[in-house]
Amino acid sequence: MRSVRRQAIWIEGVTSVLVFLAIWLPRTLALDRFVTADEPKWLARSGNFYLALSKRDWAGTFTREHPGVTITWLGMLGYLWRYPHYIEEAPGRLTDASQIELVLRQHGRQPMELLWAGRVLIALAVSIVLLAAFWGVSRLVGRKSALVGMGLMAFDPFFLGLSRLFHLDGLLSSLMFLSIILFLNYLEEESRHRKTLVLSGVVAGLAWLTKSPAFFLLPFVVLLTTAVLVVRWRQEGKLPRFEFKRSLETVGLWCLVAGVVFVTLFPAMWVNPLGVLSRIFAEAETYAAEGHSTVVFFHGVITLGDPGRRFYWVNYLWRTTPLVLLGLLLVLPGFLPKLRGWMTKEERRLSATLLLFAALFAILITLGAKKFDRYMLPLFPALDLVAALGWVAAARWLWGRRLALWRHFGCAL
């Protein structure tokens, strides 16, 4: 019995290492050879965050309405790692992001060195989050499906490229995906372990700290909880009072945990919570109402303002891969009444949930006038996993009919 348990632990350990390396390694290659437009801004904001914390200027930890707090925490760790004396040598709070390069060079530091450190920490955070998601997916649909899903996520070109930058969207997408997977694990558990629910809330709080679109998780969690109630009502013909009460407690505890994480790790919330929240949501409303201040090239046309409602749908087709698109098509037979055996009940339920998430989130960001292709990045982990389930279903169908197919093609030859 002990040998079997040791073997299982050993297999799990090796699997974890391999999955982590598959995610981590491609995100850490040649991180010191390029710079994107917004990364120096976050390097400067991280320096301001570090400076504000050192002076206990809690209000000064508000650096941007996004709010990008997880990024500035990681950026501060990068400063502590590569340039711990920044707070002693910095001229003060930088109001212009372009100043960071001049300040660093004046003190004999290479800006790329600090940017590299921030990118390494982002890649590490994303890798840990997706590894946790791997084990969450394994509990929902099995390890094989989880491995295929992580393979598609690890090497998805668009997701890979953006999740190795010192920026918000890669970490945001990973955290949102993990929070949903953990919440689904909680709903699937017979005993509804609160530990899983709390973990989902913690990750949701980190996603809220990263970027305001993560607040979409709240109505989606409410929707999932309501769906469980509706299913229970249809099965039993009535809705017991304790089920309704438990659903309220579920959403309440999830929100409480996420809120505590949000407040605890965001010192500006300690001194001016209403002001911070109003600035975050006001900026989100501005993004929704106004277009770009600069031109956008989309579908062969240069546009000033909203590029139109087709923006994300067309861009998804350009940014994803044929492998994922075909996998998404392979999921469709599982929803046909005559082909229910194509997928397991668990695979079908997870696919439907993630497709619903992707559709609703796509609608949400389409409503906003300000559009960037990277804003749709949270769709990619979800749809990559759905595509993986489609490929697994197709492979299982082919394997089950291998003898018949062999006879058919053998006779044809």
Side-chain angles (χ1 to χ4, degrees):
M1 187 67 180
R2 285 185 177 180
S3 60
V4 173
R5 186 177 179 182
R6 286 178 181 174
Q7 184 178 14
I9 293 173
W10 186 84
I11 292 174
E12 289 185 359
V14 171
T15 303
S16 296
V17 170
L18 293 177
V19 170
F20 178 84
L21 291 177
I23 301 167
W24 161 260
L25 289 177
R27 284 165 173 78
T28 55
L29 298 175
L31 289 180
D32 58 349
R33 297 184 185 178
F34 62 95
V35 179
T36 61
D38 287 343
E39 288 180 290
K41 298 177 184 178
W42 286 106
L43 198 60
R45 289 163 188 161
S46 298
N48 289 341
F49 185 85
Y50 183 19
L51 194 63
L53 276 182
S54 68
K55 295 181 176 181
R56 298 189 178 183
D57 174 17
W58 309 134
T61 60
F62 188 102
T63 62
R64 186 66 180 171
E65 290 82 1
H66 287 314
V69 178
T70 51
I71 306 303
T72 51
W73 272 109
L74 291 171
M76 187 189 76
L77 292 178
Y79 276 96
L80 290 170
W81 177 18
R82 309 300 297 184
Y83 186 14
H85 299 298
Y86 174 80
I87 55 173
E88 301 165 9
E89 300 176 353
R93 188 178 182 87
L94 303 181
T95 56
D96 185 353
S98 63
Q99 295 174 325
I100 188 64
E101 181 177 359
L102 179 61
V103 169
L104 293 175
R105 291 191 185 281
Q106 284 178 343
H107 293 91
R109 300 287 176 168
Q110 292 297 322
M112 183 56 77
E113 181 183 4
L114 273 297
L115 186 57
W116 173 86
R119 287 170 170 172
V120 168
L121 292 171
I122 289 286
L124 178 61
V126 168
S127 300
I128 292 172
V129 169
L130 291 182
L131 176 61
F134 164 74
W135 288 112
V137 173
S138 297
R139 293 175 63 186
L140 290 172
V141 290
R143 192 176 300 174
K144 291 180 181 178
S145 297
L147 283 170
V148 177
M150 286 302 127
L152 289 179
M153 283 181 228
F155 300 104
D156 185 304
F158 191 58
F159 184 46
L160 167 58
L162 287 173
S163 59
R164 61 195 241 108
L165 301 180
F166 189 58
H167 206 267
L168 309 171
D169 298 284
L171 184 58
L172 168 73
S173 305
S174 305
L175 290 169
M176 290 181 71
F177 179 69
L178 176 57
S179 182
I180 292 170
I181 293 298
L182 289 172
F183 192 78
L184 291 175
N185 270 273
Y186 169 75
L187 293 179
E188 292 290 334
E189 291 169 349
E190 290 291 335
S191 56
R192 298 277 183 95
H193 296 298
R194 288 196 171 185
K195 179 178 69 173
T196 309
L197 179 64
V198 168
L199 287 174
S200 176
V202 169
V203 177
L206 293 173
W208 292 357
L209 286 166
T210 304
K211 201 173 182 183
S212 56
F215 286 102
F216 172 76
L217 288 171
L218 175 54
F220 191 69
V221 160
V222 172
L223 179 62
L224 292 181
T225 308
T226 304
V228 171
L229 280 179
V230 171
V231 170
R232 190 63 54 88
W233 172 68
R234 292 183 62 183
Q235 289 175 343
E236 301 182 7
K238 61 178 181 178
L239 186 61
R241 181 178 295 180
F242 80 91
E243 287 285 357
F244 184 74
K245 180 182 177 183
R246 183 166 70 168
S247 296
L248 289 177
E249 291 176 348
T250 293
V251 175
L253 180 59
W254 186 90
C255 290
L256 176 63
V257 172
V260 168
V261 170
F262 185 83
V263 173
T264 302
L265 294 179
F266 196 174
M269 285 289 293
W270 306 349
V271 293
N272 187 20
L274 294 180
V276 168
L277 292 175
S278 64
R279 289 177 66 182
I280 291 173
F281 290 111
E283 183 73 5
E285 184 178 354
T286 300
Y287 279 4
E290 300 177 3
H292 296 276
S293 58
T294 56
V295 295
V296 176
F297 181 78
F298 168 63
H299 216 50
V301 178
I302 297 176
T303 306
L304 180 61
D306 190 346
R309 295 183 178 180
R310 295 182 302 159
F311 182 81
Y312 290 116
W313 308 97
V314 173
N315 265 290
Y316 181 76
L317 295 177
W318 281 110
R319 300 303 185 187
T320 192
T321 65
L323 197 64
V324 171
L325 287 176
L326 184 54
L328 292 174
L329 292 176
L330 290 172
V331 168
L332 298 181
F335 294 99
L336 299 176
K338 294 183 179 180
L339 294 173
R340 285 300 178 109
W342 180 259
M343 302 175 76
T344 66
K345 180 177 66 175
E346 293 78 14
E347 290 170 344
R348 189 161 47 248
R349 189 158 51 218
L350 179 58
S351 296
T353 302
L354 295 178
L355 287 172
L356 178 63
F357 165 79
L360 293 178
F361 189 80
I363 292 171
L364 173 69
I365 59 177
T366 298
L367 294 176
K370 187 171 184 179
K371 294 180 173 70
F372 277 123
D373 53 0
R374 57 183 169 83
Y375 290 177
M376 67 177 176
L377 196 64
L379 304 178
F380 279 72
L383 293 180
D384 285 351
L385 179 55
V386 174
L389 296 176
W391 280 110
V392 168
R396 185 169 54 233
W397 183 86
L398 288 172
W399 181 254
R401 288 156 180 77
R402 62 190 184 280
L403 294 178
L405 291 171
W406 175 258
R407 293 193 191 98
H408 174 77
F409 287 109
C411 292
L413 293 174

